[in-house]
Amino acid sequence: RDEKLPPGTLAGLLRRLGPPCIGSLARFGRLDSPHAEDHASLVQLRDAQQDIVVDLICISAGSQEAPWILSLLQEQLQRCEAAKDWHGLEVAWFAFSGIAEALADEPSLPPVYECVAQSIFRSEALTEDQAATAAVLLRTCGPHFEQSLRAQLVSAVQWLVGKVTQIPDVASEAVQELCGYAGQHLVPHVVEFLKVVEAAAASGSLSASVDASLHGALVGIARHLPADQVVQAFVQICQGTTAMLMEGLDVGQDSGRERLHRCLCRLLRCTLVMEQGGSEPQQSHSSAGPTPAAQASATCLATVLTAQWSTLAPACQRLLCAARVARDAPKGKPIFEYSDAAVQVNILALLRYAAKAANDSASGGPELSGKILHFAGVCCQEGQLACLYAVSVLAGNPQHARSNVLPVFSDICKATLAQMQAGRSDGDLVPFLELISSLAASLGDELFQSGHLEVLIRLCTLALASTEQDILKPVLLFLQKLATSRSPAVLPQILQDVMQAVVLHFHT
């Protein structure tokens, strides 16, 4: 490309290297290869051979050799399919998957991928490994199902759904990915897909992770409905979840906790997909307000939670207060594999999402805000402060901070102080520190004039002795707001004492 090679040299090298490299992958990269000493060696060899083929495609990009190399792979694929050599076909899919990953940012894939996709749909009696390779290939092609592979979209989703029982995790994640990228083209099929997912969920054979991915896929389609239909569609997708909650959850039994975990996973995944197609939502307090997608997601979650709060909240409160939560749990990402710790993490995650929904929802925000604060108050009285991180998210909205949080802040302070006097560690104080930092940012002088200043300074002074960043960061943000306050409640002596405490612990 930089013209340092004589004309025709690169083309000649590609012509000479293409056939043996592809032939080597086809011969030695088979899953039934007799040439590998063990499975780990085979995987390493396959990856190296796939990299070589991808490099050939990248080097030849824009030249006549690129379609020629792809045609060699296509011929290999067609020969294996005709001979029903499924191991050989799997190797070809593996090669095309690597190439698709390298071309992920391109506006379209080469036309050969139409044939590659169709070969997957025609395949028969695949093993788990072969089916998984095909599913990974379809998932890797995900961004292109919106345009260049649109004609294959419905068939791809149907094939993947049919493979959920054989390769549950890989197939369900691929389905969600495709629906996230190209859900607008699947809107006519959403009712049909809902029936399939409900039937699969009712069978009880799916793990919570797979179950959540399939429900997320439905939301990936539903979010493309007209705005006035989105909330109702979300509620309908969550009908199985709400029915399970209405039946009651005996969280004293392992089966009850597992059912609660499944419900939490569905709600969390569906909320994520509705807003961002599966990414962790960002807690933005921009004056510009939430994006349309964020507001739609918030309104959907607020609608479902408000209707089911009386059933959901007691079970969640009981489990949060039954055992100490891990220190990083209040900010932890959802865990889709069941365990008692995962249930606690997911409860706290749902509380955060609920707080964000209360802030961003087009309707029902104040009501949900009140429910979250009551939930947090009950937990604080039981000695569980972890849910205060969700209250800090709520306090990021000045209106909710002023109207909902500040009136009950005195009770929160008393409960927190009681827990610290009872010997709780500084780490347990982090959610409270996050809350006062958020309140200071939202309300400023209103917080300092509210009559809680003495207690807040006392707790911050204790926390300054820590050397841990997650403790010091919210404390220093709060004290920074305090130092720049013009409130008459912030007396010179108070500032002097605070600054002395900061300087005393400066190097710790």
Side-chain angles (χ1 to χ4, degrees):
R1 291 179 181 178
D2 55 11
E3 299 182 353
K4 291 183 179 181
L5 291 175
T9 302
L10 183 59
L13 285 172
L14 290 170
R15 291 276 175 176
R16 294 187 66 181
L17 289 173
C21 289
I22 292 172
S24 177
L25 174 59
R27 180 182 177 188
F28 298 106
R30 297 169 60 97
L31 291 174
D32 63 345
S33 172
H35 304 286
E37 295 181 0
D38 52 45
H39 183 71
S41 299
L42 176 60
V43 170
Q44 187 175 8
L45 175 63
R46 278 163 57 94
D47 288 344
Q49 290 177 316
Q50 183 193 58
D51 288 343
I52 291 171
V53 172
V54 172
D55 287 343
L56 290 175
I57 292 295
C58 293
I59 293 170
S60 63
S63 71
Q64 295 179 354
E65 280 65 39
W68 175 73
I69 293 172
L70 288 172
S71 72
L72 295 179
L73 279 171
Q74 184 179 9
E75 289 170 7
Q76 175 68 22
L77 180 143
Q78 290 172 337
R79 282 196 299 270
C80 292
E81 183 181 10
K84 296 190 175 182
D85 177 7
W86 308 125
H87 282 298
L89 192 60
E90 186 273 341
V91 175
W93 292 336
F94 182 66
F96 278 111
S97 182
I99 296 168
E101 186 174 358
L103 301 178
D105 294 330
E106 296 296 319
S108 63
L109 287 174
V112 67
Y113 276 87
E114 293 269 356
C115 300
V116 174
Q118 291 169 8
S119 73
I120 293 176
F121 311 147
R122 292 191 296 262
S123 60
E124 305 169 8
L126 298 180
T127 65
E128 287 186 15
D129 287 338
Q130 293 163 354
T133 299
V136 169
L137 171 56
L138 292 174
R139 181 178 181 177
T140 306
C141 295
H144 300 285
F145 277 99
E146 187 175 3
Q147 295 294 338
S148 57
L149 290 178
R150 179 177 172 181
Q152 310 303 324
L153 176 62
V154 173
S155 296
V157 171
Q158 290 174 338
W159 186 88
L160 287 166
V161 170
K163 292 297 179 183
V164 166
T165 54
Q166 185 182 20
I167 45 169
D169 293 306
V170 181
S172 61
E173 289 171 5
V175 169
Q176 183 183 308
E177 198 90 357
L178 265 61
C179 292
Y181 282 119
Q184 67 269 33
H185 304 307
L186 293 168
V187 168
H189 306 276
V190 67
V191 175
E192 174 190 351
F193 190 17
L194 176 60
K195 293 178 180 177
V196 172
V197 172
E198 287 178 337
S203 71
S205 61
L206 303 179
S207 69
S209 175
V210 172
D211 182 270
S213 292
L214 292 177
H215 282 80
L218 279 167
V219 173
I221 302 172
R223 63 183 178 156
H224 295 286
L225 289 166
D228 59 345
Q229 299 177 28
V230 169
V231 174
Q232 183 54 42
F234 188 92
V235 170
Q236 188 173 357
I237 291 168
C238 293
Q239 272 186 345
T241 306
T242 56
M244 194 182 301
L245 291 172
M246 291 176 67
E247 291 173 3
L249 300 169
D250 181 6
V251 293
Q253 302 293 325
D254 189 66
S255 59
R257 295 191 296 275
E258 192 167 0
R259 284 164 63 85
L260 175 60
H261 176 257
R262 184 175 293 267
C263 292
L264 294 171
C265 288
R266 288 181 187 174
L267 291 172
L268 291 166
R269 182 62 63 84
C270 288
T271 304
L272 288 171
V273 174
M274 180 60 74
E275 180 174 359
Q276 295 182 349
S279 303
E280 183 74 10
Q282 301 298 312
Q283 293 165 8
S284 172
H285 308 304
S286 168
S287 58
T291 64
Q295 186 171 74
S297 176
T299 307
C300 288
L301 183 61
T303 301
V304 172
L305 287 183
T306 300
Q308 296 301 320
W309 194 265
S310 61
T311 305
L312 187 60
C316 292
Q317 285 170 342
R318 178 179 173 183
L319 290 178
L320 271 186
C321 298
R324 190 182 186 89
V325 301
R327 178 167 172 168
D328 58 352
K331 297 183 182 181
K333 291 184 178 181
I335 301 175
F336 293 94
E337 183 177 347
Y338 171 70
S339 68
D340 285 341
V343 177
Q344 286 188 320
V345 169
N346 288 5
I347 290 171
L348 293 169
L350 186 64
L351 284 173
R352 294 198 310 272
Y353 295 1
K356 187 174 184 299
N359 288 345
D360 295 346
S361 177
S363 61
E367 181 181 0
L368 182 57
S369 172
K371 293 180 183 297
I372 294 167
L373 283 165
H374 181 266
F375 183 105
V378 172
C379 290
C380 286
Q381 293 302 320
E382 294 291 327
Q384 181 54 270
L385 304 180
C387 51
L388 290 181
Y389 187 76
V391 181
S392 77
V393 175
L394 200 64
N397 180 307
Q399 181 179 348
H400 287 153
R402 184 178 297 111
S403 303
N404 299 86
V405 179
L406 210 53
V408 299
F409 189 58
S410 178
D411 293 335
I412 293 174
C413 290
K414 290 176 182 176
T416 302
L417 191 58
Q419 290 304 309
M420 298 309 295
Q421 291 171 341
R424 297 288 287 271
S425 69
D426 290 346
D428 294 326
L429 191 61
V430 171
F432 177 79
L433 297 175
E434 293 282 357
L435 171 57
I436 64 172
S437 174
S438 182
L439 283 171
S442 291
L443 301 181
D445 290 351
E446 287 184 62
L447 174 64
F448 304 137
Q449 294 171 188
S450 63
H452 305 107
L453 192 56
E454 182 181 349
V455 174
L456 298 183
I457 291 176
R458 179 180 173 186
L459 289 170
C460 285
T461 302
L462 290 172
L464 279 172
S466 174
T467 59
E468 299 182 41
Q469 185 178 1
D470 61 340
I471 295 176
L472 292 175
K473 182 178 178 181
V475 170
L476 293 176
L477 288 173
F478 173 81
L479 294 179
Q480 184 181 34
K481 281 288 184 180
L482 181 70
T484 57
S485 171
R486 297 181 179 273
S487 169
V490 184
L491 301 174
Q493 185 61 47
I494 291 176
L495 278 180
Q496 181 179 336
D497 293 343
V498 167
M499 292 305 108
Q500 284 181 344
V502 171
V503 173
L504 177 64
H505 298 290
F506 185 79
H507 291 290
T508 62

